[in-house]
Amino acid sequence: MNYKETGFRALYKHFVAFMLKDNLRQCIENYPDADKANCILTCGYIDREAGLTMEVLCAGYKNGDDFSFFDQNKEHRVILRVGSVEEDEFYRFDDSDGRLQKKYADKIEILKDYEASEEVEETRKMEFLDKLRHEHYPDDVMVYLTREGLNPEGCWVRIIGLGDHFIMGTLLNEPDQDFGYHEGEKIAFFVQKTEDDQIICFSNMTPSRKLKAEDLEDGTLLKEAVSIFNKERNEEHFINILEFLRDSYVWIPCNAVMSEADMARFEQAMKDAGDDLSAMVGEEFTTNDKVRLVPDILQNGDNFFFPVFSSKEEMGEYGEHFSKVQKHILEVIPMARNSEKNVAGIVLNAFSESFILDAELFDMIENMKSRLE
């Protein structure tokens, strides 16, 4: 079997032997026992910029159905892009006993530098995307851009993230028509089955209706958009949330943090009050230094989230313990991105009908066009 028959899954993260061609002999001349070799052992990985690639682990010898593999060269590296071996017959080894993994551990360790995010890795398991993938770049898929008044146009998009019902990617080429998005920009796209059971990826770029600032002022429109999306999770409702959020001011729960000097003064005032702390009720305490407002961070399992709310009322009892600050979402995103916690995203209205803006979507929101008139 060869690559054109099997696709990337047969090579990716597998140990694979190729028979040694004349043009490869010079490449492995520094490998141990290369003069005895008639094959090479490789391990497949994905270089997102260069495509599916085979790391040459060692030279080997095939005798009938038996293979012998020699030692690795730790100082020398040879790689093969899949295009150079796509028509060559290969032999795959499952390495169930871990023998190859252990013997060539130094070479395999190098491949960790090419590991993708968990979300991208998850999309590599999606076999329904295989017919849409670039034959040499498995993370690049054909996406059809649509917009009212224009013809659908296929563009290559490199997958960068995964949402509940959508995939995030970067446009790799400039569309011929004016869809409002350009090469290098991030888009969300969706997978759909056509009437004839064909799988396609598409991104609807038809502009939504314009808004006025007052439409978003009390947060009701954003809250309603989340409610609609949670009832029917489709592309149109998802994009509506992102577009409303792009132009919204949201409320952030914050802890007030005084300077050490002011905190010492406050603690002394409490000591002076003795056992009768009720005497301090109604008293004013003026700080000498600026009070820092530190946003609260929520945790769900191993993930941290930056909470925001469409209105102060949406915080409920939770909000009673915090100072509240209103900021535009484009100011909030850098705060979340630079949080001491490595947040997985921004959660909107965490304690009612919530919506999570994954961190992978931050760039997309920042690059979206405003709907405000």
Side-chain angles (χ1 to χ4, degrees):
M1 58 184 176
N2 60 41
Y3 179 73
K4 285 192 171 182
E5 296 170 336
T6 62
F8 83 100
R9 297 181 188 284
L11 302 184
Y12 179 47
K13 292 188 176 181
H14 289 293
F15 295 99
V16 176
F18 292 93
M19 299 309 295
L20 192 58
K21 300 182 295 186
D22 290 341
N23 63 333
L24 291 179
R25 285 195 174 275
Q26 185 176 356
C27 296
I28 66 162
E29 62 183 7
N30 294 322
Y31 278 62
D33 298 309
D35 56 326
K36 305 175 186 177
N38 64 3
C39 67
I40 53 174
L41 180 66
T42 69
C43 185
Y45 66 95
I46 296 173
D47 181 329
R48 283 170 61 78
E49 298 300 323
L52 184 63
T53 304
M54 309 306 295
E55 181 79 20
V56 178
L57 304 178
C58 67
Y61 185 78
K62 180 179 184 294
N63 183 17
D65 293 332
D66 297 325
F67 285 83
S68 299
F69 297 118
F70 308 133
D71 293 334
Q72 60 188 335
N73 183 333
K74 297 181 181 179
E75 308 301 324
H76 192 68
R77 188 179 181 198
V78 173
I79 59 174
L80 305 175
R81 304 302 183 195
V82 72
S84 67
V85 293
E86 62 183 346
E87 296 184 357
D88 296 356
E89 186 177 6
F90 62 80
Y91 305 86
R92 192 171 70 180
F93 304 88
D94 62 16
D95 195 38
S96 56
D97 59 2
R99 180 177 58 85
L100 296 177
Q101 182 79 29
K102 183 178 180 180
K103 184 174 182 179
Y104 304 107
D106 292 315
K107 286 285 186 184
I108 296 170
E109 182 70 20
I110 298 172
L111 306 188
K112 289 184 178 180
D113 293 338
Y114 299 92
E115 290 182 353
S117 68
E118 290 184 11
E119 293 180 355
V120 171
E121 191 63 48
E122 189 65 28
T123 66
R124 292 174 180 174
K125 301 174 185 176
M126 296 177 176
E127 295 186 18
F128 58 82
L129 289 178
D130 286 357
K131 290 185 178 180
L132 306 175
R133 299 182 192 274
H134 190 286
E135 60 180 344
H136 296 161
Y137 295 77
D139 293 335
D140 299 354
V141 294
M142 178 60 64
V143 176
Y144 289 91
L145 312 185
T146 63
R147 178 169 174 155
E148 188 175 329
L150 299 179
N151 295 320
E153 182 176 334
C155 287
W156 288 108
V157 175
R158 180 160 296 158
I159 295 172
I160 59 174
L162 180 65
D164 288 340
H165 297 274
F166 63 92
I167 302 174
M168 284 296 303
T170 302
L171 271 174
L172 295 180
N173 57 278
E174 183 69 21
D176 293 331
Q177 304 169 87
D178 184 9
F179 288 91
Y181 285 82
H182 303 280
E183 180 182 355
E185 293 188 341
K186 296 175 176 60
I187 65 169
F189 63 92
F190 300 79
V191 180
Q192 177 178 301
K193 182 178 287 189
T194 63
E195 292 181 356
D196 56 354
D197 289 334
Q198 297 295 312
I199 297 294
I200 63 168
C201 291
F202 74 97
S203 182
N204 186 352
M205 296 181 169
T206 302
S208 304
R209 67 180 177 86
K210 287 292 186 179
L211 298 171
K212 295 181 179 179
E214 51 265 33
D215 294 333
L216 298 169
E217 192 170 344
D218 65 358
T220 300
L221 197 60
L222 179 58
K223 180 181 176 181
E224 290 177 349
V226 172
S227 178
I228 292 171
F229 174 71
N230 286 337
K231 289 183 176 67
E232 186 179 359
R233 291 176 173 252
N234 61 31
E235 179 220 3
E236 179 184 356
H237 297 156
F238 171 73
I239 295 298
N240 272 339
I241 294 177
L242 298 189
E243 292 186 340
F244 290 157
L245 193 55
R246 157 63 179 82
D247 291 317
S248 290
Y249 282 84
V250 292
W251 289 91
I252 309 169
C254 295
N255 294 291
V257 179
M258 292 186 288
S259 67
E260 291 185 6
D262 284 332
M263 180 59 72
R265 291 175 52 240
F266 182 71
E267 290 175 349
Q268 185 59 51
M270 292 180 64
K271 288 181 180 179
D272 293 343
D275 296 332
D276 188 15
L277 293 180
S278 61
M280 296 185 66
V281 176
E283 292 289 329
E284 292 186 1
F285 180 81
T286 303
T287 61
N288 293 329
D289 303 318
K290 287 185 177 180
V291 175
R292 291 190 304 120
L293 294 177
V294 179
D296 189 40
I297 298 294
L298 298 178
Q299 184 173 2
N300 183 8
D302 294 330
N303 293 321
F304 295 93
F305 295 91
F306 192 104
V308 299
F309 296 84
S310 56
S311 66
K312 289 188 290 186
E313 292 72 26
E314 283 299 315
M315 295 189 192
E317 293 182 4
Y318 163 80
E320 296 174 3
H321 306 288
F322 300 96
S323 299
K324 304 171 184 65
V325 177
Q326 190 180 36
K327 286 188 176 292
H328 195 280
I329 190 65
L330 296 184
E331 296 179 274
V332 174
I333 288 175
M335 295 170 65
R337 187 183 281 128
N338 298 322
S339 171
E340 292 182 0
K341 301 289 187 182
N342 185 22
V343 298
I346 294 172
V347 57
L348 173 68
N349 295 342
F351 306 108
S352 53
E353 198 148 20
S354 64
F355 173 80
I356 292 177
L357 179 70
D358 295 323
E360 288 78 10
L361 291 174
F362 289 174
D363 286 349
M364 180 181 175
I365 291 287
E366 290 173 322
N367 292 323
M368 288 181 76
K369 280 68 174 173
S370 174
R371 284 176 59 171
L372 295 181
E373 291 182 326

